[in-house]
């Protein structure tokens, strides 16, 4: 999941104007198999969803009435970070922008699934770790209205449909109900048969069921299930064990798992002291990169604190010193980066000894910060080598003990 958003995003973005009627927007989304559509207005970026459009008051209503200002993700953001930010913003898609805030693409949960399917990390995680157990089901002869009520009651977007023998045979989703039941009458395909006097919501779910049922095995990995969701272009999949329904997993479940992984890897960073505010963004970027390097020596970092001290020499030039504190489960590491002290040296010049005073090295904040973080990494590297050496020595002692034990037992065995 180390790929950047720009590597997996759809770059040929389809957009509409705010005055586009719902009927035209829905037609565009159906033709392109989109669930969301980007709207551009006065160089600003907006988003509108298929769900909201289908619940509009009229097919002639303009999308401007239903669009919203979305969270946008930067093109160089890592995919796992993008998934984290998308979920926290309540979106499953996000427009992709460049450094000038210009629209250059869009990333969806479909794209994330494609990336997750290739993730080595997710190949080691079994699907039962994130699946929802005891999924909600509905009988095939139950009404669409009952299906909608169950979805609202349990705050879910899909139900597994059972046949008359109680066997899972298909799926019905909230999108199915919206598209085939609530959809504007000009697009209706269900409940409009001549002589049909049954209210649409009273019709059985068999009218809108999705078959055949695509399933996954409880022994599959998250990566394998993500691949099925991506290849089949579905949003949820039942999980079976020995032909018995055991759970269900959705794209949202996988996105939430990625969000939790990202949250666990987040490090609280506190910067205290006096330094030029225009350097803060650069400092945070350096910290982000350095934290990844520090994590090589310690898988878990509780927090990092920086204490910045700013002084000025007689000429008014600032000198910085930075004290860095890095807390890990094993130890608190402390390091300091500061300007080197002035020094003197003697040289022989044309037979005459002269004393020169070296100028004090003036480091800016960024250089001092790097120096302090490098010192922390050296300390952690030394500690890791000591632990590895200790573990190696323990292993040698165990081997020697086994060999010594064998030499004692050999004579007795020979007798």
């Amino acid at each position: 999941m180390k790929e950047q958003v720009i590597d997996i995003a759809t770059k040929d973005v389809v957009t509409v104007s705010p005055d586009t009627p719902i009927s035209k927007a829905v037609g565009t989304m159906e033709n392109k198999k989109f669930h969301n559509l980007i709207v551009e207005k006065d160089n600003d970026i907006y988003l509108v969803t298929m769900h909201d459009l289908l619940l509009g008051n009229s097919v002639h209503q303009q999308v401007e009435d239903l669009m919203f200002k979305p969270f946008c993700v930067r093109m160089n953001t890592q995919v796992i970070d993008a998934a984290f930010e998308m979920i926290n913003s309540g979106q499953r898609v996000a427009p992709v922008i460049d450094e000038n805030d210009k629209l250059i693409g869009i990333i969806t949960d479909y794209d994330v699934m494609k990336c997750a399917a290739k993730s080595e990390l997710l190949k080691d995680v079994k699907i039962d770790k994130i699946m929802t157990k005891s999924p909600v089901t509905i009988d095939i002869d139950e009404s669409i209205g009952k299906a909608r009520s169950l979805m609202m009651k349990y705050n879910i977007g899909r139900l597994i449909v059972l046949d008359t023998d109680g066997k899972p045979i298909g799926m019905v989703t909230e999108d199915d109900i919206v598209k085939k039941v609530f959809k504007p009458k000009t697009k209706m395909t269900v409940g409009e048969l001549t002589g049909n006097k049954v209210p649409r919501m009273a019709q059985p779910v068999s009218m809108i069921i999705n078959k055949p049922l695509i399933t996954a095995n409880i022994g599959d990995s998250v990566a394998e299930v993500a691949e099925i969701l991506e290849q089949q272009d579905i949003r949820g999949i039942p999980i079976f064990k020995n032909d018995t329904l055991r759970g269900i997993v959705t794209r949202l479940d996988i996105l939430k798992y990625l969000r939790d992984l990202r949250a666990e890897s987040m490090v609280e960073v506190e910067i205290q002291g006096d330094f030029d505010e225009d350097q803060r963004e650069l400092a945070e970027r350096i910290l982000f990169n350095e934290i990844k390097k520090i994590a090589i020596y310690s898988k878990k970092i509780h927090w990092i604190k920086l204490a910045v001290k700013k002084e000025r020499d007689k000429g008014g030039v600032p000198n910085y010193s930075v004290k860095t504190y890095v807390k890990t489960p094993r130890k608190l590491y402390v390091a300091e980066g500061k300007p080197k002290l002035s020094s003197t040296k003697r040289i022989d010049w044309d037979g005459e000894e002269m004393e020169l005073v070296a100028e004090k090295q003036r480091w800016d904040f960024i250089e001092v910060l790097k120096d302090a973080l490098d010192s922390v990494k050296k300390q952690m590297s030394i500690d890791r080598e000591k632990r590895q050496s200790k573990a190696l020595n323990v292993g040698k002692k165990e081997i020697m003990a086994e060999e010594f034990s064998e030499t004692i037992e050999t004579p007795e065995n020979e007798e």
Side-chain angles (χ1 to χ4, degrees):
M1 304 294 288
K2 294 181 180 180
E3 296 94 333
Q4 294 184 344
V5 165
I6 193 61
D7 297 328
I8 68 169
T10 300
K11 301 175 183 65
D12 185 16
V13 186
V14 176
T15 64
V16 297
S17 60
D19 58 356
T20 303
I22 286 180
S23 58
K24 184 176 180 180
V26 168
T28 299
M29 296 169 85
E30 288 188 329
N31 290 336
K32 299 290 185 179
K33 295 184 177 180
F34 292 164
H35 289 89
N36 302 266
L37 199 59
I38 291 179
V39 185
E40 289 189 301
K41 177 183 179 181
D42 300 330
N43 296 322
D44 284 332
I45 301 170
Y46 295 88
L47 201 65
V48 66
T49 71
M50 171 72 87
H51 186 276
D52 291 340
L53 288 180
L54 293 176
L55 294 179
N57 296 325
S58 166
V59 293
H60 305 296
Q61 187 178 3
Q62 296 181 348
V63 297
E64 186 172 18
D65 298 336
L66 301 168
M67 68 186 189
F68 61 93
K69 192 74 173 174
F71 161 79
C72 297
V73 63
R74 297 283 177 185
M75 59 184 289
N76 57 356
T77 303
Q78 286 193 351
V79 173
I80 191 170
D81 295 329
F84 175 83
E85 293 168 348
M86 285 166 58
I87 287 296
N88 284 347
S89 64
Q91 298 173 199
R92 299 194 190 184
V93 305
V96 180
I97 56 177
D98 62 14
E99 61 276 3
N100 298 317
D101 294 340
K102 181 181 177 182
L103 177 68
I104 59 172
I106 186 170
I107 182 174
T108 69
D109 55 1
Y110 174 89
D111 300 316
V112 177
M113 289 305 101
K114 194 172 183 178
C115 192
K118 297 182 289 185
S119 170
E120 293 298 326
L121 175 64
L122 298 183
K123 288 179 181 178
D124 295 328
V125 181
K126 295 301 180 184
I127 200 62
D128 61 345
K129 182 174 181 178
I130 69 171
M131 74 180 186
T132 299
K133 298 178 181 179
S134 303
V136 183
T137 62
I138 188 169
D139 293 335
I140 194 167
D141 55 358
E142 292 279 10
S143 70
I144 296 174
K146 175 69 176 296
R148 179 61 179 150
S149 296
L150 288 172
M151 291 180 191
M152 294 178 67
K153 178 181 178 179
Y154 294 102
N155 192 28
I156 54 179
R158 67 206 69 253
L159 299 171
I160 298 171
V161 181
L162 309 178
D163 65 12
T164 53
D165 296 324
K167 180 181 178 181
I169 58 169
M171 187 95 72
V172 62
T173 71
E174 185 179 42
D175 280 353
D176 295 324
I177 296 176
V178 172
K179 288 182 180 180
K180 301 174 183 177
V181 179
F182 289 133
K183 200 171 179 179
K185 289 188 176 181
T186 54
K187 296 282 187 179
M188 283 291 293
T189 57
V190 176
E192 291 188 345
L193 300 177
T194 302
N196 189 350
K197 307 229 181 243
V198 179
R200 284 173 287 169
M201 294 302 288
Q203 295 178 35
V205 294
S206 58
M207 296 290 291
I208 59 173
I209 188 174
N210 292 298
K211 294 193 300 184
L213 187 64
I214 300 170
T215 66
N217 191 280
I218 199 168
D220 293 339
S221 69
V222 174
E224 290 171 323
V225 173
E227 184 176 14
I228 298 174
L229 293 172
E230 180 260 325
Q231 290 184 347
Q232 298 293 331
D233 194 18
I234 54 178
R235 293 180 175 273
I237 186 168
I239 308 299
F240 281 74
K241 180 179 180 181
N242 298 329
D243 297 325
T244 301
L245 179 64
R246 300 299 296 271
I248 189 170
V249 168
T250 67
R251 290 188 191 179
L252 184 59
D253 293 326
I254 296 178
L255 286 175
K256 286 182 177 179
Y257 181 67
L258 292 174
R259 177 198 61 186
D260 294 343
L261 286 179
R262 179 67 184 87
E264 290 176 3
S265 66
M266 291 180 69
V267 178
E268 181 183 347
V269 178
E270 181 180 350
I271 303 178
Q272 300 175 337
D274 179 27
F275 66 100
D276 295 333
E277 211 43 48
D278 59 356
Q279 292 181 317
R280 178 177 290 274
E281 184 177 350
L282 179 57
E284 290 176 348
R285 194 181 310 144
I286 291 173
L287 276 171
F288 180 76
N289 292 328
E290 292 300 315
I291 287 171
K292 294 179 183 178
K293 298 175 184 178
I294 290 174
I296 296 175
Y297 305 105
S298 178
K299 293 183 178 180
K300 179 66 178 175
I301 301 173
H302 291 313
W303 48 259
I304 294 178
K305 293 183 180 180
L306 304 178
V308 183
K309 186 176 181 181
K310 181 179 180 181
E311 298 177 344
R312 295 183 182 275
D313 61 14
K314 294 179 180 179
V317 178
N319 295 311
Y320 290 94
S321 63
V322 177
K323 191 167 262 189
T324 303
Y325 303 85
V326 179
K327 183 66 176 71
T328 71
R330 294 177 178 270
K331 186 177 178 180
L332 173 63
Y333 293 90
V334 182
E336 186 174 13
K338 58 184 178 180
K340 295 179 180 178
L341 298 175
S342 301
S343 60
T344 61
K345 62 180 178 179
R346 296 179 181 276
I347 63 171
D348 183 50
W349 179 262
D350 198 18
E352 182 178 353
E353 189 177 76
M354 300 178 63
E355 183 177 283
L356 298 178
V357 178
E359 291 186 3
K360 185 175 183 179
Q361 184 176 356
R362 297 188 179 94
W363 288 359
D364 65 18
F365 170 66
I366 300 303
E367 290 175 327
V368 174
L369 171 61
K370 288 181 178 179
D371 184 63
L373 292 171
D374 283 341
S375 179
V376 168
K377 285 185 287 186
K378 289 177 182 177
Q379 294 178 49
M380 298 176 79
S381 177
I382 292 172
D383 284 349
R384 186 175 71 165
E385 289 177 0
K386 287 180 179 178
R387 290 195 301 270
Q388 290 175 341
S389 178
K390 183 177 180 181
L392 184 61
N393 289 334
V394 170
K396 288 182 178 179
K397 288 180 180 179
E398 291 176 350
I399 293 173
M400 291 177 64
E402 291 177 1
E403 292 178 347
F404 180 70
S405 174
E406 290 176 359
T407 58
I408 294 177
E409 295 176 357
T410 299
E412 295 180 4
N413 293 336
E414 288 178 351
E415 290 178 4

